[in-house]
Amino acid sequence: TNHQRNVAGFEDVVPYVNLIVELEEQEELYLLSDLPASQAQWVEIDALVEVAFEPLECADGKAIALPQFRPVGDVDVGG
């Protein structure tokens, strides 16, 4: 669990958990993501996950979709 406030854009969301997800589509293809610490109770090595895209607005006003992972079948993305 990360409690540091030194990553731009994440200062207000600590603590959070860093995730490294290996994509099923290609062996040894990894994606780094984060997860609010309040949702970390399900995290374990080799857990099956699926992606959900969380809409965010950047400081410059542009809209982006941040990939967030959750256990397969879980419908709640927010925390």
Side-chain angles (χ1 to χ4, degrees):
T1 303
N2 188 344
H3 292 271
Q4 297 178 354
R5 297 181 187 271
N6 60 350
V7 179
F10 290 88
E11 301 91 349
D12 296 330
V13 295
V14 293
Y16 59 89
V17 175
N18 292 312
L19 299 178
I20 300 173
V21 178
E22 183 176 13
L23 301 182
E24 188 175 87
E25 292 78 7
Q26 181 178 333
E27 189 175 324
E28 297 185 9
L29 177 60
Y30 301 98
L31 184 64
L32 181 63
S33 187
D34 72 294
L35 182 71
S38 63
Q39 296 179 16
Q41 68 277 3
W42 63 265
V43 175
E44 62 183 55
I45 295 172
D46 290 331
L48 295 179
V49 297
E50 59 190 9
V51 69
F53 292 93
E54 179 181 341
L56 293 177
E57 186 175 325
C58 297
D60 62 5
K62 291 183 182 177
I64 64 168
L66 183 67
Q68 297 286 276
F69 292 90
R70 61 187 181 196
V72 172
D74 188 357
V75 295
D76 180 25
V77 180

